[in-house]
Amino acid sequence: MPDIIHNGKKIPKAVIKRLSLYSRVLQNLELNDIKTISSQLLADALGYNPARVRKDLAYFGQFGTPGIGYHVKELREAIRNILGADRETRVALIGVGNLGSALLSYPGFRKQDIHIIVAFDKDKRKVDRDANGIRIRDISELEKTLNTERIDIVILTVPSEEAQGLTDRVVSAGIRAIMNFVPIHLTVPDNVKVQYVDFSTEMESLFYYLKKNAKISNFST
Amino acid sequence: MPDIIHNGKKIPKAVIKRLSLYSRVLQNLELNDIKTISSQLLADALGYNPARVRKDLAYFGQFGTPGIGYHVKELREAIRNILGADRETRVALIGVGNLGSALLSYPGFRKQDIHIIVAFDKDKRKVDRDANGIRIRDISELEKTLNTERIDIVILTVPSEEAQGLTDRVVSAGIRAIMNFVPIHLTVPDNVKVQYVDFSTEMESLFYYLKKNAKISNFST
DNA sequence: TAGATTGTTAATCGATTAACAATC
DNA sequence: TAGATTGTTAATCGATTAACAATC
């Protein structure tokens, strides 16, 4: 992946993730009719340092007022603009198994204007069935549909053996962003971004911390 | 969270995640009857730098042989030992909705000896039903069951409004590790580790990269 | 004006990579 | 021995935090 540049400044990847979290906090503040918020309070809501909040925002401009803080509504709109979250995100999902089905009806997506518009499966018994309001298509229609439906992002929820092959097809079809739920490393060209979501790895590191913490508390008792 | 110390060295969080990925690659190599692997090849398999691989492993000891590389089987066992993945991980899941159900049958967990042993829901219509071979319990049995079943980790897949309340209960019951799929920030004591899994945030940053990349290619055409 | 809080610079901390002597 | 590759140190790069003048 090439570096991401905004107004001549290189933006760390982590900043983008946090922007999205700030936006969510601001959304809640707006619902509670809170008009302004300081970097301190915004940081507290997420367990961050206030300097980090100010620095993150400073990559993109000046949004606050010294002595006052940030105007909630304005800042939220600014962030949504930066993230492109003001437009609809058009998503395709490949592999309508248990996890795929769950994602099709994931409430968090709807809230953020992320729309899974098409779903594919290779199982003929699933094809043409309805999944959360959309028709499951045969995987043979993949390339054609990605184009006609102007898909931005592909979600992969297929068995491991099929992941790389489908990735290659999707990339050839012009897709540049893949959210990969399959626990293998995908090889893609440099201009394609893969976001890995890996439950087992997260679980294993949690368990490691747990084990370590247990030892630490044994020492102190 | 206190720092994680191993043999007097502070271990970066990212190292633990990668250890788990190394283990997975080694598992595949073992299945393909490959006996040894160099840091270079292990790095290639994950898109890393070979120095990173050697450095990560060096936190925990010396596992390789100069001129040869690492013995696949040995290294995998060593890593599983470090991660504690040689023991069974006992997990409870709260909230048997779409996502919760999908996780109950997630094949990646079974593969890594991660066992979801109990599941809870507050919906009386779900209670006592079977979910992937286990009986769904009423949420009122939460504290009691976490203890009798000796649960290590709790998975949270409940609506946002209920997440903090349930977190408090779970923490009072002595749980130290939570895998949180609910898109809100949870407040917990310092000795409890929360692992956030947030699809919307990942999706929004993917979309941001996509938008940026599109602009970059516009420039070059 | 006094208090609060921003935006930004400098200092710190942490993580990655390059380089290479040691060694199989 | 010659070639390969480790473990580790030093150099680089990047991200976080502290501090503070500017300013509402």
Side-chain angles (χ1 to χ4, degrees), chain A residues 122-140:
Chain A
K122 66 162 193 179
D123 185 343
K124 304 286 184 220
R125 286 165 304 179
K126 287 181 185 168
V127 170
D128 283 331
R129 283 242 185 124
D130 175 280
N132 202 51
I134 62 175
R135 179 178 63 86
I136 300 176
R137 302 177 193 226
D138 190 88
I139 192 67
S140 62

Side-chain angles (χ1 to χ4, degrees), chain A residues 1 164 184-190 194 196, chain B residues 18 21-22 25 37-53 56:
Chain A
M1 278 292 300
Q164 184 64 56
I184 62 163
H185 176 76
L186 298 177
T187 303
V188 294
D190 196 51
V194 178
Y196 291 86
Chain B
R18 289 197 296 263
L21 294 172
Y22 299 148
V25 173
I37 182 133
S38 64
S39 59
Q40 177 71 62
L41 257 40
L42 189 46
D44 288 349
L46 291 163
Y48 296 158
N49 179 296
R52 203 197 245 181
V53 172
D56 283 351

Side-chain angles (χ1 to χ4, degrees), chain A residues 13 20 24 198 204 209, chain B residues 13 20 24 82 198 204 209:
Chain A
K13 292 139 291 299
S20 165
R24 195 142 72 199
D198 183 338
E204 287 197 331
Y209 281 96
Chain B
K13 291 140 291 297
S20 166
R24 195 143 71 200
I82 294 163
D198 183 338
E204 289 198 328
Y209 281 97

